């Protein structure tokens, strides 16, 4: 009913919380809390600077955390890409430290292996963003960009839950 119902206001997403789960504010990703967003609920399923949510940028952009040796990881601690130290040094005047966040454009993504080829674009300041994107968010947005959102439908989720 929450998904299909009209409540007189625009919905953006549904947040699922486990009733007896313990949540830690210091963790960016928890298996006992999940956010669901699709075209039925939100016009902003895929990140876009377009105010109407219609036009997509040519490349998917993600925020990742820098680790040692130019490795990049998601909020849920999956190492997903490697950048050269030279590429990273071009950002923020070469002053990026481990655990800093960087916005990257995805050149290629392998959802099965959980790996990406990325180009670092910009440093993300701690004031504008606290956590990197999770792998689930990156994969979900990629499926929507590629027109494969039917693989992850709300009805499929309901069937699995019942």
């Amino acid at each position: 009913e929450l998904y299909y119902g009209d409540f007189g206001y625009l919905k953006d997403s549904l947040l699922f919380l486990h009733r007896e789960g313990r949540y830690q504010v210091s963790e960016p990703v928890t298996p006992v809390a999940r956010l669901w967003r699709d075209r039925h609920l939100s016009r902003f399923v895929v990140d876009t600077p377009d105010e109407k949510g219609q036009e997509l940028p040519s490349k998917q952009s993600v925020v990742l955390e820098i680790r040692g040796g130019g490795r990049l990881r998601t909020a849920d601690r999956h190492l997903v890409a490697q950048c050269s130290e030279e590429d990273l040094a071009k950002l923020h005047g070469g002053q990026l430290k481990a655990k800093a966040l960087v916005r990257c454009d995805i050149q290629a993504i392998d959802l099965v292996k959980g790996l990406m080829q990325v180009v670092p674009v910009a440093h993300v300041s701690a004031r504008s963003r606290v956590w990197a994107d999770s792998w689930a968010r990156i994969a979900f947005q990629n499926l929507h960009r590629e027109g494969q959102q039917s693989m992850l439908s709300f009805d499929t989720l309901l069937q699995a839950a019942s």
Side-chain angles (χ1 to χ4, degrees), residues 33-90:
R34 290 288 180 228
L35 186 70
W36 179 268
R37 177 180 291 161
D38 63 14
R39 287 256 178 245
H40 177 76
L41 291 172
S42 176
R43 61 184 175 178
F44 299 107
V45 176
V46 177
D47 290 341
T48 176
D50 177 25
E51 291 181 11
K52 295 183 180 179
Q54 301 297 318
E55 293 186 32
L56 298 179
S58 60
K59 299 201 184 290
Q60 182 177 352
S61 181
V62 296
V63 174
L64 299 170
E65 179 184 319
I66 299 172
R67 303 303 293 170
R71 295 183 315 258
L72 300 172
R73 79 175 187 182
T74 62
D76 38 352
R77 297 185 174 97
H78 293 275
L79 292 173
V80 293
Q82 177 89 31
C83 283
S84 71
E85 297 281 344
E86 297 157 353
D87 284 343
L88 292 173
K90 294 175 189 174

Side-chain angles (χ1 to χ4, degrees), residues 78-143:
H78 293 275
L79 292 173
V80 293
Q82 177 89 31
C83 283
S84 71
E85 297 281 344
E86 297 157 353
D87 284 343
L88 292 173
K90 294 175 189 174
L91 303 175
H92 202 59
Q95 301 298 317
L96 292 178
K97 298 178 182 173
K99 297 189 178 183
L101 298 180
V102 63
R103 183 168 306 282
C104 301
D105 283 345
I106 296 177
Q107 301 297 314
I109 186 168
D110 185 332
L111 294 177
V112 175
K113 292 181 181 177
L115 297 173
M116 299 184 286
Q117 292 176 354
V118 298
V119 173
V121 176
H123 171 256
V124 178
S125 79
R127 286 180 292 201
S128 67
R129 190 86 185 254
V130 177
W131 305 111
D133 289 328
S134 69
W135 178 251
R137 176 179 169 75
I138 293 167
F140 194 81
Q141 291 219 352
N142 183 264
L143 289 171

